[in-house]
Amino acid sequence: MSEQTSVTYQDFFNIKLKKFYEYVSDVMHDFSYAIHRNLREEEGKRRIEVWRSSKNENVSAIVWIEVVKGGVELDHYIATDVLRSMNEEGMTKLFFFTNTDISTDTKDVLDGKDHYVFTPKDIIETIDALEVKKMSKAIKKRKNVKVLSGMVTIRNYLKNHPPKGRKVFVNTSTLSDLAQNYIHLVRETFNEVDRLDDINNLDQATKERFIRLLSKLLPELRKTLYFKFTERLDYISDTIYNIMQNLVIYISALAEMESEEQMNKARDAIETEIDTLSNIDDKLEEFYTEQMKTTEKLSYNLLYVSIGVIAFMVILYVLIVRSM
């Protein structure tokens, strides 16, 4: 979390999952872990993910986030569900976060080697410790700029490499894979940033590494300008372009020591667009269902027309026979 202020118990009462996730991210980054993949999620209540150690990619952990309404106790069977999920994923490390207190029985079940359980008390203590750590470091001031370096970079790149030729139609059957490729690209990029100990104190080698990353992102941005989708899903074109544009802005601001506020703004915009891509399978299902209904309706119409023509021919034949 940027610009984090003091946290109190009241902040966790009826807290939204999205807000609680910010505290979880702060704690996990302090443990040098970065998100790897999402396992399950129940909207507004629970999120289960796999996070990977930034120091050793062979070390991963289950991160279980459980949010309950104020005054409501944790489900009595939650600990059993957590351990079952760990077993299914073959994980031995656990980070369990909740916005309420945990009973002794539940904590005893969750307890184990490399098992970390965080209640509001633990989270507050960790956040306070992080603030002390931040204040003890010499922070380089990031600069506010009128024109973002990322926008200048994009403008110059497209000026020197203007799109040429016709747009390429993306087959609807490949759209799900395309969306997953961009989601993976974003997550890998964010993980690279999240592995940094301090984004405000980058050495020259790290800056150059992210500048090289920009040289790979810019051609991807240009490629999105060629995409063309079926009219019903044409909005995906803008979604993908916005993701790549904001990703370039985000990395440029990081490397050029521009406003952290602008970095967060670009990242939030990316997350919003990623949500759209994450729901693409549902949109495709709706699209295919409507296509089937349209095809079925057309088939019935053709059948009715055929029956009408046949009936007319029969009547005409009968009239001709009678007139002979």
Side-chain angles (χ1 to χ4, degrees):
M1 292 174 61
S2 60
E3 302 179 3
Q4 175 68 44
T5 57
S6 59
V7 186
T8 66
Y9 282 94
Q10 189 62 33
D11 294 322
F12 294 96
F13 192 81
N14 284 332
I15 192 172
K16 299 293 185 182
L17 177 59
K18 183 177 181 181
K19 180 65 177 178
F20 189 61
Y21 190 78
E22 294 180 14
Y23 294 120
V24 172
S25 296
D26 278 350
V27 174
M28 292 304 299
H29 292 155
D30 186 52
F31 274 84
S32 299
Y33 277 79
I35 184 171
H36 177 54
R37 59 189 170 92
N38 181 278
L39 292 179
R40 294 193 298 280
E41 182 170 353
E42 293 182 27
E43 187 174 357
K45 176 185 177 183
R46 175 182 298 164
R47 185 177 294 181
I48 310 169
E49 299 174 336
V50 173
W51 286 57
R52 179 181 292 166
S53 171
S54 304
K55 298 179 179 179
N56 186 346
E57 64 178 14
N58 295 318
V59 176
S60 296
I62 288 283
V63 176
W64 187 297
I65 305 163
E66 192 78 13
V67 173
V68 299
K69 294 181 179 179
V72 177
E73 295 183 353
L74 283 175
D75 191 305
H76 180 68
Y77 298 101
I78 187 70
T80 303
D81 293 339
V82 172
L83 296 181
R84 183 186 299 113
S85 293
M86 292 179 65
N87 184 57
E88 291 173 353
E89 293 296 323
M91 297 284 181
T92 59
K93 288 183 178 291
L94 167 70
F95 290 87
F96 182 87
F97 295 86
T98 182
N99 68 320
T100 189
D101 291 328
I102 300 177
S103 69
T104 302
D105 290 343
T106 299
K107 196 164 187 177
D108 286 343
V109 176
L110 286 175
D111 195 22
K113 183 181 178 181
D114 292 330
H115 289 195
Y116 303 91
V117 178
F118 289 87
T119 62
K121 176 179 179 294
D122 304 301
I123 296 173
I124 290 172
E125 290 178 354
T126 304
I127 295 298
D128 286 345
L130 284 174
E131 284 305 300
V132 172
K133 187 187 297 185
K134 289 179 182 178
M135 292 174 64
S136 66
K137 291 184 178 180
I139 303 297
K140 294 180 181 178
K141 184 177 180 181
R142 288 184 165 271
K143 58 191 177 185
N144 290 313
V145 294
K146 292 184 179 180
V147 181
L148 298 172
S149 62
M151 292 302 297
V152 175
T153 300
I154 292 172
R155 182 184 63 196
N156 291 339
Y157 182 83
L158 293 180
K159 182 178 179 180
N160 295 325
H161 304 83
K164 297 178 182 179
R166 297 180 179 180
K167 289 195 172 187
V168 178
F169 182 78
V170 179
N171 195 303
T172 306
S173 62
T174 66
L175 192 50
S176 182
D177 289 338
L178 180 69
Q180 287 303 317
N181 287 339
Y182 280 101
I183 291 174
H184 178 73
L185 173 62
V186 168
R187 294 302 176 209
E188 285 295 305
T189 303
F190 284 171
N191 284 345
E192 281 292 308
V193 177
D194 292 340
R195 290 188 185 101
L196 298 173
D197 290 332
D198 185 357
I199 65 171
N200 295 305
N201 286 283
L202 305 181
D203 57 36
Q204 190 59 36
T206 302
K207 286 185 178 181
E208 291 176 358
R209 176 158 59 90
F210 282 103
I211 289 173
R212 288 196 297 272
L213 176 58
L214 281 175
S215 67
K216 298 178 181 179
L217 294 177
L218 287 167
E220 284 293 331
L221 171 71
R222 179 176 179 268
K223 188 168 69 175
T224 65
L225 297 174
Y226 288 99
F227 291 155
K228 181 176 178 59
F229 304 95
T230 186
E231 184 177 355
R232 172 69 181 276
L233 302 170
D234 199 41
Y235 68 92
I236 297 297
S237 179
D238 290 336
T239 297
I240 294 176
Y241 179 83
N242 290 338
I243 287 173
M244 295 308 303
Q245 175 180 264
N246 280 295
L247 200 55
V248 170
I249 291 173
Y250 179 70
I251 296 300
S252 294
L254 170 71
E256 299 299 329
M257 293 299 292
E258 293 175 356
S259 166
E260 189 172 351
E261 179 183 355
Q262 186 56 53
M263 284 183 60
N264 293 334
K265 183 178 179 181
R267 185 159 179 163
D268 288 344
I270 294 170
E271 292 288 4
T272 298
E273 299 290 8
I274 284 295
D275 285 342
T276 299
L277 285 190
S278 298
N279 294 325
I280 192 63
D281 286 339
D282 292 337
K283 296 299 181 182
L284 286 173
E285 187 65 30
E286 293 176 7
F287 174 74
Y288 291 141
T289 299
E290 291 184 7
Q291 289 291 96
M292 290 178 62
K293 289 180 179 179
T294 300
T295 302
E296 184 178 346
K297 183 178 180 180
L298 180 60
S299 298
Y300 279 125
N301 289 340
L302 290 174
L303 177 61
Y304 295 148
V305 170
S306 299
I307 293 174
V309 171
I310 293 173
F312 174 77
M313 295 299 294
V314 169
I315 293 173
L316 181 61
Y317 175 76
V318 171
L319 291 176
I320 293 175
V321 170
R322 288 182 176 178
S323 63
M324 292 179 64

